[in-house]
Amino acid sequence: MRNINSVKREFLKKWMWGIRKYSSQKKNMSLLERKKAIKLSADLAMASTRNKTTRWSKALIANASKDGNNKVHTEHVLGSSPPPRRVRKSSTNYSHGTRIRSCRNTWRRNRAVHRPKDRSVASFIAKKLVQKRTRRLKSLLPGGEFMDGVSLVEETLDYIQSLKAQVEVMRCLVTASELMILNPS
């Protein structure tokens, strides 16, 4: 993982540049459009500080470039390179949701036959809890639904570091703007 201060500097530079580019395209923005521009610029700046080396950054860029309105802004922030290709789903023919429903139905039909013994109830419950939390983590991490367990943990740690840098930069900007309002020179 990179030095947090260099990540913050790079994020701030790219974020401010992205906001300027977006606001130069549209002169009169509504509050909702401003909010969207700030969020989009922050996501793209955060993803581009990772130089498209992580799956979550590729997923953020791909999600931003899906929308036709955001595509132009995405290209301005990232340069003229085409958006990254989406990560392929698993090799099975059916979707993840179908697989989960199928597993649940199978489990319900067979639970009387395969009920865990008393001594393994705790491990059974723990295993189900880990599976549930892993699914939840995959849904929170951009592109996480296509990752295995080890990659998921590594990408999550990197994503958390980037989010932490983003929050700290935004917090510093808010503090600086409050000081400017209170002490105009």
Side-chain angles (χ1 to χ4, degrees), residues 85-100:
R85 302 169 107 203
R86 288 195 50 99
V87 180
R88 294 179 69 195
K89 288 188 178 183
S90 63
S91 60
T92 56
N93 311 14
Y94 46 88
S95 70
H96 183 65
T98 306
R99 193 173 13 180
I100 290 173

Side-chain angles (χ1 to χ4, degrees), residues 44-58:
L44 290 174
M46 188 169 65
S48 65
T49 56
R50 301 301 301 143
N51 296 325
K52 303 177 196 170
T53 57
T54 58
R55 291 183 192 177
W56 65 262
S57 64
K58 292 175 187 175

